[in-house]
């Protein structure tokens, strides 16, 4: 998982990575391209943004992923689409940019299932909207 960030040589953002099965003393600093596909960068950055959000602010939602983890997110800053029980290949040719229902706020209500884009990993993850402030 990602446990921190810093700016390295040449202004490159580095992510402090804690590897599964290892301790903090084994953490390494990795550039984005080494860890982007894991989803850990997206999760870390959302957690950092959540520290500044209030659930009373318009557009802010509490979501729950399939693994039970909850996050507070600003849907005005995110890319989401309706959840469908089909594969990305069946859905459209470009699962990240090609859907007509992207950021359709009519989909949002407590209990609704949506798919939230993890931009670094370039994949949508399904989640349930627990609460939302319109």
């Amino acid at each position: 998982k990602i446990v921190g960030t810093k700016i390295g040589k040449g202004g490159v953002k580095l992510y402090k990575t804690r590897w599964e099965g290892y301790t903090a003393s084994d953490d390494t600093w990795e550039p984005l391209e080494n860890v982007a596909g894991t989803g850990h960068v997206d999760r870390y950055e959302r957690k950092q943004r959540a520290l500044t959000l209030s659930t009373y602010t318009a557009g802010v939602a509490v979501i729950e992923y399939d693994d039970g983890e909850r996050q507070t997110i600003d849907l005005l800053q995110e890319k989401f689409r309706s959840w469908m029980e089909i594969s990305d290949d069946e859905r459209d040719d470009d699962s990240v940019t090609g859907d007509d229902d992207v950021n359709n706020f009519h989909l949002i209500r407590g209990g609704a299932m949506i798919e939230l884009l993890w931009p670094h990993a370039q994949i949508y993850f399904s989640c349930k909207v627990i609460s939302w402030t319109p």
Side-chain angles (χ1 to χ4, degrees), residues 59-127:
V60 172
V62 176
I63 59 160
E64 182 177 273
Y65 292 106
D66 293 340
D67 65 3
E69 179 183 347
R70 289 186 178 195
Q71 282 188 326
T72 302
I73 62 169
D74 183 352
L75 286 174
L76 300 174
Q77 303 293 320
E78 298 285 351
K79 190 170 189 177
F80 63 90
R81 67 184 186 186
S82 64
W83 177 84
M84 294 182 185
E85 198 169 335
I86 58 175
S87 72
D88 279 342
D89 291 337
E90 294 173 299
R91 187 173 180 128
D92 57 37
D93 290 335
D94 186 353
S95 64
V96 175
T97 60
D99 291 311
D100 293 332
D101 62 346
V102 170
N103 286 33
N104 179 350
F105 283 89
H106 295 290
L107 301 169
I108 306 302
R109 66 186 186 301
M113 291 296 294
I114 62 171
E115 294 181 339
L116 188 64
L117 177 65
W118 287 29
H120 296 296
Q122 287 291 291
I123 191 168
Y124 279 93
F125 277 92
S126 61
C127 58

